[in-house]
Amino acid sequence: MMIRGLVLMGLVGCVDQEEFALEFVAVHHGARVGCDDVLMGFGPDADQSVRIADLRLYVSALEFLDADGLVIAHTLDANEFQLDHPEGWVSLVDLAGTDAGACAPDGITFAEGTARLHPTLTGQTAVDDVASVRFDVGVPQAVMSAVIGDYTAEAAPSPLGEMYWSWVTGYRHFVLNMAVDAPEEQGEGYVHIGSTDCAAKGENALESRSACGAINTPRVAMEFDLVTDVIGIDVGTLLAGLDFRAPVYDPQTFEIIGEQPGVECHSSTLQSDCAQIFDAVGIDPDGDAAADANQVFRRL
């Protein structure tokens, strides 16, 4: 059977590919938001606000599907944000620079954003045939293992020289850092979703195992028009229902020295915010993900 090319094992191989641009945006109450915006209505009394300081995520296992559910062949451009690694493609989406609002270097205590931006994945596919899209939010386990095993942090191929926990322990897949403002008090928030339990003591991540104990890679799948639609990351849904209280850490020792308005989730079951955040992105307590449970990523 021919559909603009060869159909084999559920894959549509198209002969007339066009350039595509898959755009990601941060949204709150349906409106696009960025470093200059104040996002209102958080906390138990809805009297706290958030200002984005950093928003980055890795995207992998990208697939486009046609109206019959068949995967459409595509290629991704290779550039400093889109890595064609032997173990699989991985791309970095970066929605926050360092020149405005809370994204500036002095916006929060543990600022780590980069000046460069990359909101759009680019490549080639049969654009008009696309009816849905699916992807993972994260660095594939095999890519993580190979890159950490073969490189130092400084020598890692771009864009994998950033967003790791520490070089030998694995990657953060999704980072949202923020300034938090409450009545008469200010604080900060850190949402870091990444793989954990990746190595035995004294080993590098995935040195002697094929996967981390908790993979924590959100999955996304939705109907999608590649010409008119964009992928929205709903910050309000991600942070809904949290108590917006978090520890204060000494910048040098990282000892807890108090409490302030904020959010804390570093993919630990010991942090109460993580349970609700993981539920919002469709990750269960074992670190497994389901696209139909992900409420944060949506079609716009």
Side-chain angles (χ1 to χ4, degrees), residues 29 39-49 181-183 242-244:
H29 294 321
L39 287 55
M40 309 290 292
F42 293 98
D45 300 318
D47 60 351
Q48 299 190 39
S49 61
D181 299 306
L242 302 179
D243 65 5
F244 268 75

Side-chain angles (χ1 to χ4, degrees), residues 1-200:
M1 179 180 178
M2 296 297 293
I3 302 179
R4 299 185 68 184
L6 175 66
V7 179
L8 180 63
M9 298 295 289
L11 177 69
V12 180
C14 299
V15 296
D16 52 349
Q17 294 191 351
E18 309 165 65
E19 298 290 332
F20 75 81
L22 180 63
E23 183 182 5
F24 289 73
V25 298
V27 297
H28 184 51
H29 294 321
R32 297 191 184 204
V33 294
C35 296
D36 285 321
D37 296 302
V38 178
L39 287 55
M40 309 290 292
F42 293 98
D45 300 318
D47 60 351
Q48 299 190 39
S49 61
V50 162
R51 292 173 288 128
I52 293 172
D54 190 13
L55 179 51
R56 289 175 289 164
L57 60 145
Y58 287 114
V59 173
S60 58
L62 175 67
E63 291 183 320
F64 298 119
L65 297 88
D66 68 9
D68 296 319
L70 295 174
V71 176
I72 302 171
H74 77 276
T75 57
L76 282 166
D77 297 332
N79 56 45
E80 65 176 331
F81 295 98
Q82 300 179 178
L83 175 65
D84 182 9
H85 190 276
E87 295 291 347
W89 272 96
V90 60
S91 303
L92 176 69
V93 173
D94 191 337
L95 301 182
T98 56
D99 60 350
C103 294
D106 60 353
I108 56 175
T109 303
F110 300 103
E112 56 176 341
T114 62
R116 58 185 192 164
L117 295 170
H118 188 244
T120 304
L121 305 189
T122 59
Q124 300 79 41
T125 192
V127 172
D128 291 337
D129 289 347
V130 173
S132 61
V133 63
R134 60 192 182 197
F135 56 88
D136 291 346
V137 179
V139 177
Q141 299 287 285
V143 175
M144 182 190 305
S145 176
V147 172
I148 290 175
D150 294 344
Y151 297 93
T152 64
E154 294 75 19
S158 184
L160 293 183
E162 53 190 277
M163 282 180 56
Y164 44 85
W165 293 117
S166 68
W167 186 243
V168 299
T169 56
Y171 276 95
R172 295 173 295 165
H173 306 313
F174 177 98
V175 166
L176 170 62
N177 297 337
M178 66 201 108
V180 177
D181 299 306
E184 301 180 0
E185 195 177 8
Q186 293 183 318
E188 299 174 356
Y190 300 89
V191 176
H192 297 170
I193 299 173
S195 295
T196 61
D197 185 24
C198 297

Side-chain angles (χ1 to χ4, degrees), residues 279-298:
D279 185 61
V281 296
I283 299 175
D284 69 20
D286 294 323
D288 298 322
D292 59 0
N294 194 327
Q295 308 165 56
V296 173
F297 290 79
R298 56 187 61 188

